[in-house]
Amino acid sequence: MILPVAATVTLLATAACGGGGEGGGDGDGPQSITVGAIPIVDVAPLHLGVDQGIFEKHGIELTIENTTGGAQAVPSVVSGEFDFAFGNTTSLLVAQEQDLPVRIVANGVTSTGEEGNDFGGVVVPEGSDIAEPRDLEDATIAVNNLENIGDTTVRNTVRQAGGDSDTIEFVELPFPEMPAALERGDVDAAWVVEPFLTSAKAGGATEIASNFVDAHESLSVAYYFTTEQVIQEDPELVDNFTAAMEESLAYANDNPDEVRRILGEYTEIEESVAQEIVLPTWPTDLNRESTQAVADLMVHDGVLEDKPDLDELYR
């Protein structure tokens, strides 16, 4: 089974920078920051940004702390442990409703928008009677976190297909355990992302739905964010980070071979698998319409009580 590396990765970029933080401030060196990011395909632009000297050009010395996802990243940013982090859209919307001062500053990762050719999808085991999303009624479906981006978008897919999403039982499993759980029959279906989507299909599973695509034609699944305090205290740092991330996102989008190469440096995805997986897209724009679509689904499912004010979520 392919597992991401669980370790702290320190990446240095050396250039002068104005502003606060460690270093910088008086032109005496780069500005040191810590960014929390789950070590998966989605954050390849962040690693490429360091590898290609993009953060260096913008005067930033970057330490990447590996996280397990948005549930860990949000409190770590709010507490000041991280200056910025990568977090999925649902985690950030929940944080906003809880009055946590998180603010989106750059896009994170976006769906390809292509049915059957996205970086995440719903799979069923070989020989399953489930042939289409509507058949997921009464099914047990594995997701990595409950009340999050997976189950929220899968419910929407089933509803769009004319099924009753209220009859689905979602169970929480780590992505690496899902292919084996499918083979054993522990679950009827699983929502998986790359590289586990490719691994599951290679093991005989069938993809029956592209739930991100069904939610929005260009679904932004995650973003880079910070706190209102960081924005107020060091707006120049935030400007520099945002500019570096946008350049890194564009570089990743334009250089898929470089993305596949860098995966071997911060994950344990085998090179042969890295060449086969479906890559997401990394546009630089902040797609509020996409975020609103996710928020509407969360309100429908009762994950959010009220429709959020996105002006308060974006910088």
Side-chain angles (χ1 to χ4, degrees):
M1 183 61 62
I2 303 163
L3 293 169
V5 178
T8 299
V9 183
T10 302
L11 302 156
L12 302 181
T14 55
C17 172
E22 297 181 14
D26 297 309
D28 58 353
Q31 194 160 8
S32 301
I33 66 170
T34 301
V35 179
I38 185 171
I40 56 177
V41 176
D42 307 29
V43 299
L46 182 67
H47 291 267
L48 281 172
V50 177
D51 179 76
Q52 295 298 308
I54 296 171
F55 283 95
E56 174 183 356
K57 183 174 71 173
H58 290 276
I60 292 175
E61 179 180 286
L62 195 64
T63 298
I64 301 177
E65 290 274 1
N66 287 346
T67 71
T68 58
Q72 177 190 357
V74 168
S76 295
V77 169
V78 171
S79 70
E81 180 183 355
F82 301 156
D83 299 291
F84 300 86
F86 175 92
N88 70 64
T89 305
T90 52
S91 293
L92 296 177
L93 287 165
V94 169
Q96 183 197 31
E97 185 165 82
Q98 295 173 343
D99 293 325
L100 297 177
V102 296
R103 298 291 183 272
I104 292 169
V105 298
N107 190 37
V109 66
T110 301
S111 163
T112 66
E114 298 179 29
E115 189 76 31
N117 190 40
D118 201 11
F119 73 105
V122 181
V123 295
V124 296
E126 187 174 9
S128 173
D129 292 333
I130 299 173
E132 58 183 357
R134 184 170 182 172
D135 297 336
L136 291 169
E137 286 185 342
D138 300 312
T140 300
I141 305 176
V143 293
N144 67 320
N145 291 120
L146 298 176
E147 296 190 350
N148 215 289
I149 192 75
D151 53 358
T152 296
T153 53
V154 170
R155 285 192 186 93
N156 173 68
T157 290
V158 174
R159 287 195 298 269
Q160 285 187 0
D164 183 357
S165 63
D166 292 337
T167 65
I168 300 171
E169 179 186 0
F170 288 98
V171 296
E172 202 168 275
L173 277 179
F175 284 128
E177 297 180 14
M178 291 184 189
L182 278 173
E183 291 178 14
R184 292 193 304 265
D186 296 346
V187 293
D188 300 310
W191 167 65
V192 290
V193 296
E194 294 290 14
F196 309 106
L197 177 57
T198 292
S199 296
K201 290 162 69 174
T206 300
E207 184 177 0
I208 63 164
S210 299
N211 46 303
F212 289 160
V213 180
D214 295 335
H216 190 272
E217 62 184 3
S218 182
L219 186 72
S220 286
V221 179
Y223 295 98
Y224 290 92
F225 67 98
T226 188
T227 62
E228 181 63 35
Q229 180 180 357
V230 170
I231 293 171
Q232 291 177 354
E233 293 181 354
D234 202 340
E236 184 177 0
L237 168 62
V238 179
D239 287 343
N240 289 340
F241 177 82
T242 298
M245 272 312 316
E246 289 179 349
E247 189 172 338
S248 300
L249 290 163
Y251 181 83
N253 227 24
D254 293 340
N255 295 275
D257 289 344
E258 282 291 277
V259 171
R260 296 182 194 278
R261 174 189 65 81
I262 202 73
L263 292 177
E265 298 188 12
Y266 72 95
T267 76
E268 290 183 1
I269 298 174
E270 296 175 5
E271 184 179 357
S272 59
V273 176
Q275 297 303 315
E276 296 295 327
I277 63 175
V278 175
L279 297 178
T281 64
W282 289 285
T284 59
D285 62 302
L286 295 174
N287 191 334
R288 293 195 182 204
E289 181 183 296
S290 162
T291 303
Q292 187 63 64
V294 174
D296 291 344
L297 294 178
M298 294 172 70
V299 171
H300 180 279
D301 291 345
V303 180
L304 293 179
E305 292 184 6
D306 300 304
K307 186 175 182 178
D309 181 356
L310 295 188
D311 288 338
E312 295 183 358
L313 183 59
Y314 287 84
R315 182 191 181 198

